[in-house]
Amino acid sequence: MDKIKLLLVDDHSLVRQGIKQILELEEDLEVIGQASDGEEAIKKAQELKPDIILLDINMPKLNGINTLRKLKDIDTTTKVIMLTFYEDREYIFETLNLGVNGYILKDAESESLIKAIRDVYNGSSYIHPSIAMEVIKKTENKDNHEEEKSKLTKREYEVLILIAEGLNNRKIADRLYISEKTVKNHVSNIFKKIKVNDRTQAAIYAYRHNIKKI
């Protein structure tokens, strides 16, 4: 069995050790490294090339948001799940816009964390249920979403899925073997058709309507 390789990033050693013990009870999960701040996380991400980074938001030296920004600038396929407390939920839109793949609360049940890791590894996004509904309510409107979705071409549908996975235009272009300019045109058309203004809203739209791989 190929194990999902994980890098744990949190400034509290006890938190890291507790998460590590929980995860390594699962046969398909392996913690290959730990980091106590954002700078160390970036270095270890490049050295170890984990499948997924579990990244705390509040850290010294370089916080989770700035660490995520730098990680996404690096040419890497590593996915990122943010670890946070409920009080930090205002950061969810910023992290989604930066291309985070998952968002889970530190006090979540271990089963939720494990599900988030497996979902993200398999190409889906994950937002912890206790904050997902709040996000959806804030972005809800009364338009006919099914009608909007039906207006998307097959290629636009594919691009929307990849936006929801947190890929930027360059990586979407590489994945679909098309030019970055073409991707930009598709993204613009998608925003108009589903009536959103940015990638965060598009990702939430995809999440809300359970848009998955074709």
Side-chain angles (χ1 to χ4, degrees):
M1 178 187 297
D2 289 336
K3 292 191 175 185
I4 302 172
K5 298 177 182 178
L6 302 159
L7 173 62
L8 304 183
V9 184
D10 194 292
D11 58 324
H12 294 98
S13 177
L14 286 176
V15 172
R16 296 197 309 271
Q17 292 303 318
I19 294 175
K20 183 176 186 291
Q21 290 179 10
I22 290 171
L23 298 182
E24 292 197 332
L25 291 174
E26 304 298 316
E27 293 184 355
D28 60 332
L29 305 181
E30 179 183 7
V31 176
I32 61 170
Q34 300 182 42
S36 60
D37 60 63
E39 293 177 357
E40 186 181 8
I42 293 168
K43 181 179 178 181
K44 288 198 172 182
Q46 292 175 296
E47 291 176 353
L48 302 175
K49 301 188 185 306
D51 297 310
I52 296 174
I53 299 173
L54 298 179
L55 180 62
D56 184 25
I57 280 188
N58 292 310
M59 295 185 297
K61 294 185 181 179
L62 195 66
N63 67 29
I65 293 175
N66 289 328
T67 301
L68 173 64
R69 185 176 286 111
K70 290 195 174 185
L71 286 169
K72 289 298 181 178
D73 285 339
I74 297 170
D75 188 15
T76 176
T77 57
T78 299
K79 298 176 180 179
V80 180
I81 297 175
M82 300 301 296
L83 297 173
T84 183
F85 289 109
Y86 188 71
E87 289 75 16
D88 297 322
R89 63 192 181 279
E90 66 268 18
Y91 296 124
I92 188 169
F93 289 101
E94 187 170 0
T95 54
L96 282 171
N97 213 28
L98 288 172
V100 77
N101 304 98
Y103 202 97
I104 192 161
L105 300 180
K106 282 188 174 183
D107 59 357
E109 297 292 331
S110 58
E111 291 82 2
S112 296
L113 176 58
I114 292 165
K115 173 175 170 50
I117 291 169
R118 289 173 177 157
D119 282 358
V120 167
Y121 180 76
N122 289 319
S124 300
S125 298
Y126 184 93
I127 302 177
H128 193 274
S130 66
I131 54 177
M133 288 308 299
E134 181 176 338
V135 173
I136 289 170
K137 286 177 183 178
K138 286 183 178 180
T139 58
E140 190 66 68
N141 60 58
K142 298 180 180 180
D143 295 327
N144 187 330
H145 295 296
E146 290 302 317
E147 182 179 345
E148 293 163 1
K149 189 170 67 174
S150 68
K151 294 178 181 177
L152 297 179
T153 66
K154 183 175 182 294
R155 180 63 86 191
E156 289 167 351
Y157 195 91
E158 292 172 338
V159 171
L160 177 58
I161 290 169
L162 296 178
I163 289 174
E165 288 182 18
L167 275 65
N168 59 29
N169 286 353
R170 177 171 53 81
K171 291 182 178 179
I172 291 174
D174 292 343
R175 180 77 67 87
L176 298 179
Y177 303 103
I178 56 180
S179 71
E180 190 170 347
K181 182 178 179 181
T182 299
V183 173
K184 289 179 180 178
N185 290 335
H186 285 317
V187 171
S188 177
N189 289 335
I190 290 167
F191 287 0
K192 290 176 183 176
K193 289 182 178 181
I194 66 174
K195 300 178 182 178
V196 301
N197 298 316
D198 56 39
R199 300 175 86 87
T200 299
Q201 293 175 2
I204 293 170
Y205 177 97
Y207 178 84
R208 180 167 63 229
H209 296 285
N210 199 31
I211 292 178
K212 298 179 179 179
K213 292 181 179 179
I214 299 173

